[in-house]
Amino acid sequence: MAEGATGLLAGIERVGMDRRRGGFSRHGFDYAEMELREWFSEQADRRGLDVRADRNGNLWAWWGPPGPNAVVTGSHLDSVPGGGAFDGPLGVASALAAVDLLRARDHVPRRPLAVVVFAEEEGGRFGVPCLGSRLLTGGIVPKDAARLMDGNGMTLAEAMSGAGLDPQRIGRDGEALRHIGCFVELHVEQGRGLVELDAPVGLATSILAHGRWRLTFFGEGNHAGATPMSDRRDPVVPAARTVLAARRIGESVPGARATVGRLSPNPGGTNVISSSADLWLDARAADDAATRAVVEQVTAAAKDAAADEGCELLVVEESYGGPVTFDEGLRGTLSAVLGDVPALPTGAGHDAGILAAEVPTAMLFVRNPTGISHAPAEHAEPADCEAGVRALATVLGHLTSTTGRTPW
Ligand SMILES: [Zn+2]
């Protein structure tokens, strides 16, 4: 069982391949993600870990009986549409490989250790990122979550039922949270920070504030040939102007990011003037005020553009999370145990960022040679992945070597 993180990833390299987009499309409770959950359960079984799903569809594999002050590691197995092989699965595979390494070192944990797989971290199917950890911590109202709908009109409640879960029981899980003494997530870096620092592994300091907003423009559906240019209320036009506004406004706020990665004209026919158009804004910045400022300015520009075209605009906030600073005490301990590893911030959101509001949380990043992520070109060299496993095993070994009230 010494296959390492890259060996484990090789075992799932065909699951959820996306022939149209390239890369992988693995979304919460879909066929590919269910296959990956099955893979994870088998891998955990093989290691004698006790696997159970919580009420919110997150999977937990326990080394030792579940109990308070456990050291928890893990990540997610779902992807963005057409995503890379490392975002999420590297953290899960590294956690399993770290367990192997600790066993090879004859390590006996003195407190419970768990590997967790969070459900629908990317929000690629139901639109809300970190859905499993948000449900676990009560960061989303259960009845609102149950009604979330995927692109085919299936609700989260229906998808969870199909996966053998009871959607009536989703929501904050105090018992599961009480088990967590601390959470350490390993993740491929989504940026070139470690390349510039010439280091294979680093520790995360903070995450930008970030959220998602859906802007729907309502116009008048009509015929592309029979409708004179002067007689149109085409919602795609203000949507397009909003894309340009997002770029301009994102550039004007220092350190901010504003992205439109998804734009959907409805009904979406080549010879059809759309009746409505949905556009999703992903906005991030260092703090709440800067993020809100970006969103307010983009929304104002969208409103003006809609009015010019005689369209209506509806804006819905689909998710929001303030900036996260990871626990300094835990990071200090990890830094001392790992020696000379750099610490760096990230613009990407993670389950660790959601859990940070509840328990001490830390993240380890593994170098990404191009910095590309959320795309098929995402990569980490095998040697760096194994350096990540060794670092994670060292951290987990240290944190599970005491029986005190807290793991560090
Ligand atoms: Zn991720």
Side-chain angles (χ1 to χ4, degrees):
M1 210 157 333
E3 57 233 294
T6 35
L8 283 159
L9 289 179
I12 54 171
E13 66 189 2
R14 304 196 68 76
V15 182
M17 282 175 75
D18 191 324
R19 291 168 66 183
R20 194 166 61 83
R21 300 183 178 101
F24 300 93
S25 291
R26 303 158 163 171
H27 304 310
F29 310 109
D30 74 359
Y31 186 81
E33 204 235 10
M34 294 307 285
E35 195 175 331
L36 292 173
R37 287 163 169 270
E38 193 59 34
W39 166 83
F40 174 74
S41 299
E42 275 170 27
Q43 291 294 334
D45 268 353
R46 266 196 230 177
R47 289 165 174 80
L49 308 177
D50 181 21
V51 187
R52 44 189 80 187
D54 67 20
R55 294 194 267 114
N56 296 301
N58 307 305
L59 290 176
W60 302 75
W62 288 93
W63 182 357
N69 299 323
V71 173
V72 180
T73 185
S75 193
H76 59 97
L77 292 170
D78 66 305
S79 73
V80 296
F86 296 86
D87 178 353
L90 181 63
V92 176
S94 297
L96 293 168
V99 167
D100 294 343
L101 204 49
L102 288 171
R103 294 227 169 110
R105 292 175 186 169
D106 293 324
H107 176 74
V108 178
R110 300 185 69 193
R111 63 174 76 243
L113 193 161
V115 180
V116 65
V117 172
F118 286 110
E120 177 81 341
E121 191 271 347
E122 301 289 4
R125 181 170 179 190
F126 293 102
V128 175
C130 301
L131 188 55
S133 54
R134 268 182 220 271
L135 283 166
L136 170 73
T137 56
I140 183 168
V141 178
K143 67 174 180 3
D144 293 346
R147 283 200 295 255
L148 291 170
M149 200 175 273
D150 72 8
N152 295 318
M154 183 183 276
T155 63
L156 177 67
E158 288 163 348
M160 289 183 104
S161 296
L165 294 156
D166 180 357
Q168 304 285 346
R169 298 186 66 232
I170 60 174
R172 185 176 166 87
D173 188 341
E175 194 194 342
L177 288 169
R178 272 192 298 278
H179 286 159
I180 311 173
C182 66
F183 177 60
V184 181
E185 180 171 2
L186 179 146
H187 205 279
V188 66
E189 196 200 348
Q190 296 167 296
R192 298 184 73 254
L194 290 171
V195 173
E196 276 151 28
L197 292 161
D198 195 23
V201 174
L203 288 165
T205 53
S206 58
I207 297 180
L208 292 179
H210 60 284
R212 297 177 180 190
W213 289 263
R214 187 179 72 231
L215 284 73
T216 306
F217 299 87
F218 297 94
E220 185 174 58
N222 212 332
H223 193 291
T227 316
M229 296 310 288
S230 58
D231 198 18
R232 299 178 178 214
R233 294 196 292 123
D234 183 347
V236 175
V237 173
R241 286 177 60 188
T242 303
V243 174
L244 300 177
R247 164 60 72 91
R248 178 172 45 76
I249 292 157
E251 283 172 348
S252 73
V253 177
R257 323 260 196 261
T259 307
V260 177
R262 196 172 155 209
L263 201 167
S264 176
N266 305 311
T270 306
N271 54 354
V272 177
I273 297 168
S274 299
S275 51
S276 67
D278 288 312
L279 170 158
W280 283 263
L281 172 70
D282 176 308
R284 311 180 190 223
D287 56 37
D288 292 320
T291 314
R292 296 288 177 192
V294 168
V295 176
E296 273 163 28
Q297 289 178 53
V298 174
T299 304
K303 214 169 166 184
D304 288 347
D308 286 352
E309 185 73 10
C311 293
E312 304 290 320
L313 172 67
L314 176 70
V315 180
V316 175
E317 180 177 294
E318 292 196 334
S319 68
Y320 183 72
V324 172
T325 302
F326 289 111
D327 189 274
E328 285 179 16
L330 179 59
R331 178 154 53 84
T333 300
L334 268 52
S335 186
V337 171
L338 293 173
D340 192 19
V341 292
L344 66 174
T346 179
H350 298 285
D351 292 307
I354 301 292
L355 285 180
E358 298 279 340
V359 293
T361 300
M363 287 193 80
L364 284 169
F365 287 141
V366 170
R367 177 165 53 192
N368 176 337
T370 61
I372 290 175
S373 186
H374 284 187
E378 179 182 274
H379 186 65
E381 291 295 336
D384 288 353
C385 294
E386 298 321 315
V389 170
R390 287 195 299 277
L392 183 61
T394 299
V395 162
L396 299 177
H398 175 80
L399 294 174
T400 57
S401 64
T402 64
T403 53
R405 201 172 56 80
T406 55
W408 70 93

